[in-house]
Amino acid sequence: MTARLCGVIAVVLASLSFAAYAQVAPKRLSDWLLDQPAATGAYPLGLSWRVPEEAAPQALLLRELLASLSGRDPSVGADPAALRRLSDWLRSLPVTGRVALSGVDARWLEVNPARNPVIERHHSVTLPSRPRTVTVVTGQGDRCPIGHAPGREALAYLEACDPEAAGQIDLAWIAQPDGRIQRFGVARWNREPQDEPAPGAWLWGPARGSGFPERVSERLIEFLATQGPAPDGGSIALPAPRSPAA
């Protein structure tokens, strides 16, 4: 491990000492959930359990992702300006140490102890407010918050944020607000049954031939899943579904 990476990890570990809910004594997640007062607008699906020991592998993941986007990877043929925008934004994001959970229903966790983790003293838990948007990360390296619409699938959001890519997106990656990562075929030739993005989801679906290899897409969505729900921003409305051709 290089001295530079060690320094990055040290900074990350230090930054994780502050969180919304610092744990006082070890307890099961189910107990932590039952102890929380009812809060209007709370979004349990976006709950984040943050473990400092997970910061090091996540810092390494970010380092590898940035190396792929540096312009020195011959397998990445995306527009250099888009790579710079994407890299600059990723550098601004924290390494959180977030660990995905199997569920956040306290009673379900109680009867499934193997999936009911212990929240240790040095861990933290954040419980966000319910977001109103889904955020698309475009192949141009920009973010596009768009109002969540029940019943709409990933492709609708991707094409709304990048109309020029309509008909050119084969695969969509979703980081759901609970940290689950999903990949679906969305083109006519490879379309799959799929879950719709939940409020706060991150979406990535570069156009065919845009120069982003699948391994880069996988690293990107894996890192975004550690961020928790995508924050609301100035959003656009999702267009109404197109009527099927007669």
Side-chain angles (χ1 to χ4, degrees):
M1 184 179 295
T2 66
R4 181 179 179 182
L5 179 56
C6 289
V8 169
I9 293 170
V11 171
V12 168
L13 291 171
S15 71
L16 288 176
S17 62
F18 172 80
Y21 296 93
Q23 182 58 21
V24 175
K27 65 171 61 177
R28 292 283 182 178
L29 177 59
S30 58
D31 296 327
W32 185 94
L33 289 165
L34 292 170
D35 287 345
Q36 303 312 303
T40 302
Y43 192 47
L45 190 64
L47 183 143
S48 292
W49 171 36
R50 300 183 176 189
V51 178
E53 290 84 352
E54 294 300 314
Q58 291 177 14
L60 181 59
L61 170 65
L62 177 59
R63 184 170 180 262
E64 292 172 343
L65 177 57
L66 290 172
S68 296
L69 301 175
S70 66
R72 296 189 292 272
D73 186 336
S75 69
V76 179
D79 175 64
L83 294 177
R84 283 194 298 273
R85 282 191 292 270
L86 190 54
S87 295
D88 289 346
W89 172 60
L90 289 169
R91 288 191 187 95
S92 75
L93 298 178
V95 175
T96 65
R98 186 192 194 194
V99 178
L101 297 164
S102 299
V104 291
D105 181 275
R107 299 306 181 190
W108 182 87
L109 290 167
E110 284 180 330
V111 298
N112 291 275
R115 299 186 178 184
N116 189 9
V118 175
I119 312 300
E120 300 287 355
R121 292 176 184 273
H122 63 294
H123 298 176
S124 62
V125 182
T126 62
L127 183 60
S129 299
R130 180 182 176 87
R132 300 182 302 276
T133 60
V134 166
T135 296
V136 173
V137 181
T138 73
Q140 291 76 43
D142 300 314
R143 272 79 59 215
C144 176
I146 191 163
H148 178 262
R152 304 298 295 277
E153 295 181 349
L155 185 62
Y157 295 96
L158 294 168
E159 292 188 341
C161 287
D162 189 2
E164 294 183 2
Q168 301 180 53
I169 300 173
D170 296 326
L171 296 170
W173 284 262
I174 306 174
Q176 297 283 13
D178 60 1
R180 286 180 300 127
I181 296 170
Q182 299 172 309
R183 189 190 85 158
F184 299 113
V186 296
R188 289 186 178 182
W189 65 270
N190 69 342
R191 179 176 166 74
E192 300 175 273
Q194 57 196 267
D195 296 334
E196 64 184 78
W202 297 96
L203 270 65
W204 167 254
R208 186 184 316 123
S210 61
F212 289 99
E214 286 190 31
R215 63 177 177 79
V216 173
S217 295
E218 289 163 0
R219 285 174 177 167
L220 174 60
I221 206 68
E222 184 180 352
F223 184 71
L224 292 178
T226 70
Q227 294 300 297
D232 284 336
S235 63
I236 60 176
L238 195 62
R242 291 191 293 267
S243 299

